[in-house]
Amino acid sequence: MRRIGTKYGTKTITGPFDAIVIGSGMGGLTVASLLAQQGQRVLVLEQHYTIGGCTHTFTRKRYEWDVGLHYVGDVQSPRSGLRRMFDAVTGGGVSWAPMPEIYNRIAIGDRIYEIHRGPEAYATKLAEYFPAQRAAIDAYVKLIFEVSRSARNYFAERAMPRAAGDRIYAAVSAPFRRYADRTTFDVLRELTDDPELIAVLCGNYGDYGLPPKRSSFAVQAMVARHYIFGASFPVGGPGMIARSIVPIIEQAGGAVVHSADVTEILVRDNRATGVKVAGGEEILAPRVISNAGVGVTFGRLLPSEIAERFELLPKLQAVDPAYTVAGLNIGLPRSGAAQGLPAANIWAHHSSDYDGDLERSRQDPSAPLPSHFITFPSMRDPTWDERHPDTATISMYSEIGFGRFEPWAHEPDRRRSEAYQALKDTLADQMLTQLEGYVPGIREQIDHYELSTPLTINRFLGRRQGNFMGIDHSPQRFAQRWLRPHTPVEHLYLTGQDVVTDGISGAMLGGFLCGSAILGRDLVTALGRG
């Protein structure tokens, strides 16, 4: 292969490369690290000017915010499967600080429910709130472990070539699909007739995006199991993940570069042969791996004739983009301890009718915003006060439909009309009013704040509908067998959120499955043997 010397930002890259990865989010960095550890030279191309996707952080003045990793479950023990995966891809470069025993609070109207770590503590506290529902609560805890166990073989099959997977799919998928094909509400309604308890169990549905009557129970179970032993935060902030992985890729002769916008996946004789970047230059490699999401990969990056030949666009009609949010990032000029800020997240809801509240807000812009996620990043990183003395930060994310922003979707970034700014100002004011109910007097303390919208997500993550979490977790999603690392285009692979589930951990597992598919061996099970 010819040598390539193309300059992006401050990095000069020189081929040849064994693989090109599109996107430096968790799924892209994971598979790049795994391949690099097998001696492969991998080029990671990131269209944003910052590496890391939703694991990156950004700063304004003296303040720092994380954009996508707010807390992670099941990494407290070095022996846990998820911790082993993080250690494997980062070379053990990330340490984890445990969050408090109460790591989530669910607010429904003016009622507050505390979520404790540990299955027994979790169930016991819920039973204090709902004394007549102890049997239902215990049955629920047992069920989330059962469904989560069934997910292992279901997802492992996705790393196999399709022909081999066909022979075992029915057997390995049946236990998982028994619950994945049903909504969260339908399953929980069989356990309890208390709508408030159902709302509390699903109070952090923002971790996967769909309210109970629309989400697959499988994702509710997996997320609940993920956090049942508590949650942690990366010491030094989420940016430590990319900072730990990039040297591993570079030591194997690869490169990770920003400001490199891939505009097309090159295909010849039904085989991926490289990519074209903005400006027109072609970079060749025998393997292309996309972390851009199935919508962008099939709908925008592949040549249209290839997408049509393999009937890929109709497949996209079977899945919907995940939910969208407005994000309010706040900087405070005193330490969080001095202001009495908590470390626990707050999941705030207008009422216990999550589905109804969401639909009313979609239909009527004057209706209350249905739900909010409030998180305090400066209170969970033990290095914060050293890195950012006498400061604190709060991040708040409010669910809002993309339709409210469509009138400005095609206007140039940073030059949108006054009406767009007016909408942002209105939303920020509404969100601050809600925040004051949980952090009294917060308006008077603010030194800096700014609001991001789904259009911000489009700009920085290359999306079209503000869906930072990929595709939604409906029962329909888990029925799609084509959501797997292999694609109909030879030597084109998928990694990241859409391969498994959304979120940082789901994206990383997608990277492991992609690496397993490429290398022809089970990289997840191999960790247990290590």
Side-chain angles (χ1 to χ4, degrees):
M1 176 186 291
R2 69 185 179 92
R3 295 175 66 82
I4 303 165
T6 305
K7 197 160 189 173
Y8 298 102
T10 59
K11 181 85 67 174
T12 299
I13 60 172
T14 303
F17 296 101
D18 298 299
I20 295 171
V21 177
I22 304 169
S24 70
M26 194 71 231
L29 290 180
T30 293
V31 69
S33 174
L34 294 172
L35 295 179
Q37 291 177 54
Q38 299 302 313
Q40 296 196 20
R41 302 186 68 193
V42 183
L43 172 63
V44 181
L45 300 175
E46 169 58 52
Q47 60 95 26
H48 190 11
Y49 54 74
T50 301
I51 299 300
C54 285
T55 69
H56 87 268
T57 60
F58 74 99
T59 59
R60 299 285 189 271
K61 295 184 176 181
R62 300 183 293 156
Y63 307 109
E64 177 184 283
W65 296 272
D66 44 83
V67 300
L69 192 161
H70 309 297
Y71 67 141
V72 175
D74 212 23
V75 293
Q76 298 89 325
S77 169
R79 296 185 299 276
S80 77
L82 190 62
R83 175 65 177 272
R84 285 173 180 260
M85 285 193 281
F86 270 111
D87 286 348
V89 299
T90 66
V94 178
S95 300
W96 298 90
M99 289 179 63
E101 178 182 355
I102 300 170
Y103 59 92
N104 272 343
R105 288 185 171 88
I106 310 300
I108 302 175
D110 59 0
R111 304 175 298 283
I112 305 291
Y113 300 91
E114 295 179 341
I115 305 301
H116 288 241
R117 68 172 176 235
E120 181 60 31
Y122 172 79
T124 298
K125 188 62 179 179
L126 283 182
E128 291 179 11
Y129 297 126
F130 302 94
Q133 299 292 323
R134 181 64 198 240
I137 294 166
D138 288 343
Y140 170 74
V141 172
K142 180 180 179 181
L143 186 58
I144 65 174
F145 278 91
E146 176 187 332
V147 175
S148 296
R149 284 193 295 269
S150 73
R152 297 171 186 169
N153 288 337
Y154 168 82
F155 287 119
E157 182 273 333
R158 293 190 170 189
M160 301 175 65
R162 182 62 181 265
D166 284 344
R167 293 192 290 270
I168 66 170
Y169 178 76
V172 300
S173 68
F176 180 79
R177 291 284 300 275
R178 185 178 302 128
Y179 292 100
D181 291 351
R182 303 177 64 198
T183 69
T184 298
F185 181 81
D186 286 345
V187 174
L188 294 182
R189 190 65 179 78
E190 293 180 349
L191 300 179
T192 177
D193 59 0
D194 190 324
E196 185 87 352
L197 174 57
I198 291 175
V200 173
L201 295 177
C202 305
N204 63 321
Y205 81 80
D207 276 326
Y208 55 83
L210 283 181
K213 292 181 181 178
R214 295 179 56 202
S215 63
S216 165
F217 180 72
V219 72
Q220 166 68 23
M222 289 186 290
V223 168
R225 165 60 184 86
H226 176 75
Y227 288 112
I228 197 140
F229 291 103
S232 300
F233 192 77
V235 176
M240 291 299 300
I241 294 175
R243 286 197 289 273
S244 299
I245 294 176
V246 169
I248 295 172
I249 298 168
E250 292 178 337
Q251 286 165 11
V256 183
V257 295
H258 61 74
S259 306
D261 189 9
V262 174
T263 59
E264 183 181 336
I265 296 170
L266 303 175
V267 179
R268 183 175 181 180
D269 297 329
N270 296 333
R271 174 179 295 184
T273 60
V275 300
K276 181 183 293 185
V277 296
E281 181 162 7
E282 297 181 354
I283 306 176
L284 304 182
R287 185 180 297 117
V288 176
I289 304 165
S290 179
N291 189 46
V294 293
V296 172
T297 303
F298 293 166
R300 192 164 76 203
L301 297 182
L302 274 178
S304 58
E305 64 272 17
I306 300 298
E308 292 173 4
R309 180 181 306 162
F310 292 107
E311 300 181 340
L312 298 178
L313 298 184
K315 295 181 186 300
L316 297 180
Q317 303 306 311
V319 293
D320 294 320
Y323 76 131
T324 56
V325 297
L328 187 65
N329 295 299
I330 297 169
L332 307 170
R334 288 195 300 155
S335 73
Q339 297 178 81
L341 296 181
N345 303 311
I346 300 171
W347 295 90
H349 303 274
H350 180 66
S351 78
S352 60
D353 181 13
Y354 297 164
D355 290 86
D357 288 342
L358 180 60
E359 185 60 28
R360 282 184 284 274
S361 74
R362 295 280 172 88
Q363 298 298 324
D364 180 7
S366 67
L369 294 172
S371 64
H372 313 274
F373 173 58
I374 305 167
T375 185
F376 306 88
S378 58
M379 297 303 295
R380 56 192 60 172
D381 176 11
T383 70
W384 179 272
D385 288 337
E386 177 183 346
R387 295 190 299 118
H388 306 286
D390 300 318
T391 67
T393 54
I394 302 174
S395 294
M396 182 176 184
Y397 299 90
S398 300
E399 191 165 0
I400 186 168
F402 183 73
R404 293 187 68 177
F405 302 91
E406 281 188 304
W408 302 282
H410 300 292
E411 291 185 356
D413 295 328
R414 300 184 183 277
R415 297 198 302 273
R416 294 193 171 98
S417 65
E418 293 182 1
Y420 174 69
Q421 185 58 51
L423 175 58
K424 290 180 64 175
D425 292 342
T426 297
L427 290 173
D429 184 68
Q430 291 176 350
M431 293 168 69
L432 285 172
T433 298
Q434 291 293 315
L435 181 60
E436 284 188 303
Y438 306 101
V439 188
I442 187 62
R443 283 183 187 264
E444 290 72 27
Q445 303 299 319
I446 294 174
D447 176 50
H448 175 85
Y449 76 86
E450 60 185 77
L451 186 88
S452 64
T453 75
L455 300 185
T456 313
I457 294 166
N458 282 354
R459 177 188 175 198
F460 289 120
L461 295 185
R463 305 295 188 184
R464 287 185 172 177
Q465 298 186 54
N467 53 316
F468 70 100
M469 292 185 74
I471 55 180
D472 71 22
H473 289 89
S474 65
Q476 181 74 0
R477 170 186 177 145
F478 293 108
Q480 307 304 309
R481 289 204 59 202
W482 57 273
L483 291 174
R484 57 199 303 115
H486 295 94
T487 75
V489 180
E490 192 175 354
H491 294 180
L492 172 63
Y493 296 85
L494 300 176
T495 185
Q497 295 186 118
D498 293 348
V499 172
V500 184
T501 60
D502 297 346
I504 301 300
S505 300
M508 182 173 63
L509 183 54
F512 266 88
L513 293 190
C514 184
S516 298
I518 292 169
L519 296 173
R521 59 181 184 272
D522 184 350
L523 298 179
V524 177
T525 301
L527 293 177
R529 292 197 297 267

